[in-house]
């Protein structure tokens, strides 16, 4: 029986979390709002709109709708500028090994990302063909921690949620995977991602035996 493996994009497949941070930081600076790495952690996995709302809340600022739209556009333009320079060197360590392992074991693979730029990024790093389906910010109406993005992914893969495994670097993403009744695997800091079923610093720590156990559904 096939398992469904669903990967977040930013901070899991590629190191774009740093570009989101830089772009939000510049925007916050321009509004004279201070913005720390701890606050940035709370923006991981969170949609573009909700991220700007949170930054404005932190800075106690109210702006017009037009200004809001303009700032979101500006942030995305700066982000796209970083993205345009990306190549395969920005794929996070051992991601291709894990994807190729799953492909050679005939598992179902989906992307489950909040980003509206997901397809562009996957094309830039030449990984788009590894995915059976892509669910991104253009397909969902409810942002993580809502499980919608992963439930759509499971549905498109034709795998039931309890047979899906999610790889995530964001607290909101782990909560979404748990709410979807999927196995959640945190990629990053175990202190931050303590709600995950398993946490690894990065994919280099994930051994073949662990993957084998996930595929064959033995208790890992
Ligand atoms: C998530 C990122 O994957 O996508 C967030 O972790 C980001 O930081 C969100 O805000 C939306 O991305 P985009 O590319 O549509 O602005
Ligand atoms: Mg992420």
């Amino acid at each position: 029986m096939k398992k469904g493996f669903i990967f977040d994009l930013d901070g899991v497949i590629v190191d774009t979390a740093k570009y989101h941070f830089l772009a939000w930081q510049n925007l916050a600076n321009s509004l004279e709002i201070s913005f720390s790495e701890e606050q940035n952690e709370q923006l991981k996995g969170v949609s573009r709109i909700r991220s700007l709302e949170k930054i404005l809340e932190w800075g106690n600022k109210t702006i017009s709708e037009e200004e809001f739209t303009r700032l979101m556009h500006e942030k995305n333009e700066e982000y796209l500028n970083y993205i345009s320079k990306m190549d395969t060197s920005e794929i996070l360590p051992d991601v291709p090994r894990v994807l190729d392992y799953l492909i050679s074991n005939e598992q179902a693979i989906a992307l489950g990302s909040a980003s509206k730029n997901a397809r562009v990024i996957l094309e830039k790093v030449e990984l788009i063909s590894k995915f059976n389906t892509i669910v991104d910010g253009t397909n969902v109406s409810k942002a993580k921690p809502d499980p919608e993005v992963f439930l759509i992914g499971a549905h498109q893969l034709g795998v039931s949620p309890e047979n899906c495994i999610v790889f995530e670097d964001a607290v909101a993403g782990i909560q979404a995977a748990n709410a979807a009744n999927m196995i959640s695997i945190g990629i990053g800091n175990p202190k931050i991602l303590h709600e995950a079923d398993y946490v690894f610093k990065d994919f280099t720590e994930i051994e073949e035996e662990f993957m084998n156990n996930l595929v064959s559904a033995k208790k890992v």
Side-chain angles (χ1 to χ4, degrees):
M1 193 186 57
K2 254 187 208 182
K3 292 288 167 60
F5 287 83
I6 309 180
F7 293 79
D8 173 48
L9 175 70
D10 296 311
V12 169
I13 304 256
V14 281
D15 192 12
T16 39
K18 64 182 181 216
Y19 298 140
H20 280 296
F21 177 58
L22 287 174
W24 284 130
Q25 198 175 40
N26 274 341
L27 182 140
N29 278 347
S30 75
L31 295 169
E32 292 175 342
I33 297 173
S34 71
F35 178 56
S36 65
E37 293 221 29
E38 287 74 47
Q39 284 168 317
N40 184 57
E41 208 55 52
Q42 296 177 49
L43 299 189
K44 286 188 179 170
V46 174
S47 70
R48 204 180 307 164
I49 294 187
R50 188 66 200 119
S51 299
L52 182 51
E53 283 171 356
K54 275 177 173 265
I55 291 172
L56 293 170
E57 279 164 28
W58 291 328
N60 247 323
K61 289 236 167 125
T62 327
I63 57 171
S64 69
E65 225 178 288
E66 292 76 49
E67 179 74 345
F68 192 97
T69 309
R70 190 185 66 76
L71 288 174
M72 280 223 305
H73 180 73
E74 228 170 61
K75 186 269 172 182
N76 196 46
E77 287 295 299
E78 183 178 342
Y79 181 68
L80 286 175
N81 192 33
Y82 294 126
I83 296 311
S84 68
K85 297 175 191 119
M86 278 181 87
D87 59 28
T88 53
S89 67
E90 297 204 49
I91 299 171
L92 286 165
D94 270 9
V95 168
R97 174 180 66 86
V98 170
L99 289 172
D100 288 340
Y101 166 88
L102 294 172
I103 291 166
S104 60
N105 284 279
E106 294 173 350
Q107 300 300 298
I109 307 175
L111 189 86
S113 167
S115 174
K116 292 186 168 154
N117 298 307
R119 281 178 186 271
V120 176
I121 294 169
L122 284 180
E123 271 161 16
K124 288 238 61 122
V125 299
E126 297 172 18
L127 286 178
I128 198 147
S129 63
K130 310 259 183 204
F131 292 85
N132 299 111
T133 189
I134 290 170
V135 188
D136 64 20
T138 64
N139 309 113
V140 293
S141 56
K142 295 178 214 130
K144 299 169 188 176
D146 190 282
E148 184 188 24
V149 62
F150 297 139
L151 292 173
I152 295 176
H155 182 75
Q156 290 186 0
L157 292 177
V159 179
S160 63
E162 54 279 14
N163 284 315
C164 287
I165 298 103
V166 171
F167 294 94
E168 256 293 349
D169 71 317
V171 174
I174 294 294
Q175 290 168 342
N178 293 343
N181 204 16
M182 299 176 178
I183 293 178
S184 55
I185 302 186
I187 300 292
N189 184 337
K191 285 201 184 107
I192 295 173
L193 303 174
H194 58 88
E195 290 172 66
D197 293 319
Y198 306 92
V199 183
F200 297 95
K201 181 172 66 62
D202 57 35
F203 284 96
T204 65
E205 284 192 344
I206 302 185
E207 292 179 0
E208 190 151 324
E209 193 192 349
F210 181 79
M211 294 303 296
N212 274 334
N213 288 339
L214 288 176
V215 168
S216 58
K218 275 188 228 142
K219 232 174 165 252
V220 282

